[in-house]
Amino acid sequence: MLAPSSGVAPSAVAFPAPASSTPTATSVQKDLSFSYTDTALLPPSFPGVDTTTLNAPFVPQGVSVSCKNCTLTGTIDILQGSIAGNTSSLDSDDDEFSWDQGTFTFQANDFSAHIELEATILPSVDLLSYEAPIPAIGLPGFQIPGIGVVGPIFKPAVVIGTRISSQADFSYGFELTVPNNSSIVLDLGDPESSTVNGFSESSITALPFTTAIQNIALTVSAAFRPQLLLGVSILSSSASLGAGVFFNLPTVSATISQVAQVNSKCEPLPIGNMTSNASTTVDDILQDVFGSLTHVEPAVGLDFGVLAEANLGISNSREVGLQNVVTIFNTTFPLPTTCLSFDPEKSTLGPVPAMATAGGEADTESGMMSAADRTVEDPTERLRYMVGLLLGVTLFFVNL
């Protein structure tokens, strides 16, 4: 199974410029909702947006990624920040600033996402990832009384990764629900002491993998990777600092493979391990056997981190290298596997169909059919199917 990558910490970012005037607010709340349907991400084509400002990566000809449905809802609160440090250096001769302690608290409410991506991907031996930026969302500025002015910005992005032997078109994604009052506390004095609460309890569901290609095998991942960045200007000085949080919320990855001579759950047939005293008979097993199915084994990765840099000379357009970047939480865990069947008439993957009984009618409760009623359209698959049955029966009698 493909393990979700935890290497998501940014190496450089462009912090936002703080407001030119001093806001009266000491905290901020912002609705971060957006919705893009059938919208190209790579190369980008957002309605009404100058996509040259997105800094989208170059992609080879033949590669495309789009949002079939990328929807985010929810609000973020940035609670009153605090900074305590060396302010004696803030004079006309020395504009450097250092801090001993300080915090920013970021809190999410009613936060959920549906990220469903469509992609055309070229073959690759290694796992290739493409990060697609989504238009940034500006937040109102606020002040830290007696210290400085803060300008926040939310920069969402989605990532798709694949390893596949031939060019393919497919769709994949996930749904996410974050518990209310989930928060990250950024500790400026000791970033490694920053904390994350609630986000790790998020509900995550993988969306169905779909493709028009039969017998496909690949590894695939889809991720929502936003950053929430702060640009802080120090009062009565040109000194500045940048801080923020980054998320991998989440990465959903899957290993997709073809399996043969299995039951409707993609489990191997147990005939070779049967004995004469087994409660399950050969006929029972042959009532639920498939020549070829598609097995999807998904997993989830979650990563959260913080960053902070001083004396930046913040600019909207200039990326700065980061030194103080800390991942404060990461975990991976599996999701339930799924078993899919390719429908040649519809040219798509779907649930394993309900089987038929010996009378020829569908048995929706058992999902089985008798061996006599089973048909395999492809001659090659029919041959494999019959050979598999003969081998299974032979092994059974050998064990008697």
Side-chain angles (χ1 to χ4, degrees), residues 335-371:
L335 291 176
T337 63
T338 56
C339 197
L340 302 173
S341 175
F342 188 82
D343 186 337
E345 293 184 0
K346 297 180 180 179
S347 295
T348 188
L349 289 171
V352 177
M355 297 297 98
T357 64
E361 294 181 356
D363 183 352
T364 56
E365 290 187 5
S366 66
M368 295 187 289
M369 64 180 264
S370 71

Side-chain angles (χ1 to χ4, degrees), residues 62-89:
V63 172
S64 66
V65 180
S66 63
C67 275
K68 184 176 181 180
N69 180 1
C70 296
T71 300
L72 176 73
T73 61
T75 62
I76 193 75
D77 291 81
I78 305 177
L79 306 182
Q80 180 174 333
S82 64
I83 299 175
N86 177 18
T87 58
S88 62
S89 63

Side-chain angles (χ1 to χ4, degrees), residues 56-351:
F58 169 79
V59 292
Q61 185 176 1
V63 172
S64 66
V65 180
S66 63
C67 275
K68 184 176 181 180
N69 180 1
C70 296
T71 300
L72 176 73
T73 61
T75 62
I76 193 75
D77 291 81
I78 305 177
L79 306 182
Q80 180 174 333
S82 64
I83 299 175
N86 177 18
T87 58
S88 62
S89 63
L90 299 182
D91 53 42
S92 58
D93 297 324
D94 188 354
D95 284 333
E96 290 195 351
F97 174 76
S98 62
W99 63 81
D100 299 320
Q101 57 184 328
T103 61
F104 286 103
T105 300
F106 307 86
Q107 187 177 87
N109 285 289
D110 302 318
F111 205 90
S112 63
H114 177 106
I115 304 296
E116 187 173 2
L117 304 176
E118 288 185 322
T120 298
I121 299 297
L122 298 177
S124 61
V125 175
D126 300 318
L127 181 67
L128 296 181
S129 293
Y130 301 95
E131 181 167 343
I134 292 174
I137 300 174
L139 283 73
F142 64 98
Q143 66 162 303
I144 304 173
I147 297 293
V149 176
V150 183
I153 194 169
F154 180 72
K155 292 186 173 182
V158 296
V159 182
I160 192 163
T162 60
R163 180 169 58 237
I164 189 170
S165 60
S166 60
Q167 183 170 330
D169 302 317
F170 61 88
S171 68
Y172 193 53
F174 56 86
E175 289 185 334
L176 163 77
T177 302
V178 175
N180 280 342
N181 300 316
S182 295
S183 64
I184 294 179
V185 178
L186 166 56
D187 188 326
L188 292 172
D190 182 10
E192 293 187 1
S193 296
S194 301
T195 58
V196 56
N197 297 287
F199 284 102
S200 60
E201 305 302 320
S202 298
S203 171
I204 301 164
T205 304
L207 295 174
F209 175 84
T210 62
T211 184
I213 300 175
Q214 192 171 8
N215 299 325
I216 192 170
L218 77 159
T219 54
V220 61
S221 64
F224 182 48
R225 191 175 292 177
Q227 299 174 357
L228 185 52
L229 304 175
L230 309 176
V232 184
S233 64
I234 307 304
L235 296 177
S236 305
S237 167
S238 62
S240 60
L241 65 93
V245 293
F246 58 89
F247 310 80
N248 216 31
L249 187 62
T251 294
V252 176
S253 59
T255 298
I256 298 165
S257 59
Q258 299 300 306
V259 289
Q261 306 307 322
V262 294
N263 63 19
S264 57
K265 298 179 181 179
C266 286
E267 299 168 337
L269 300 181
I271 291 178
N273 298 323
M274 291 178 59
T275 67
S276 58
N277 297 323
S279 59
T280 301
T281 67
V282 173
D283 188 60
D284 291 333
I285 294 171
L286 296 185
Q287 287 180 346
D288 185 30
V289 60
F290 290 81
S292 178
L293 292 175
T294 300
H295 195 204
V296 181
E297 300 174 90
V300 168
L302 293 171
D303 301 83
F304 306 92
V306 298
L307 51 94
E309 295 294 326
N311 312 309
L312 298 177
I314 290 173
S315 167
N316 265 324
S317 59
R318 185 174 66 89
E319 283 198 341
V320 295
L322 298 174
Q323 302 296 322
N324 300 311
V325 182
V326 177
T327 298
I328 56 175
F329 178 87
N330 65 79
T331 186
T332 62
F333 54 90
L335 291 176
T337 63
T338 56
C339 197
L340 302 173
S341 175
F342 188 82
D343 186 337
E345 293 184 0
K346 297 180 180 179
S347 295
T348 188
L349 289 171

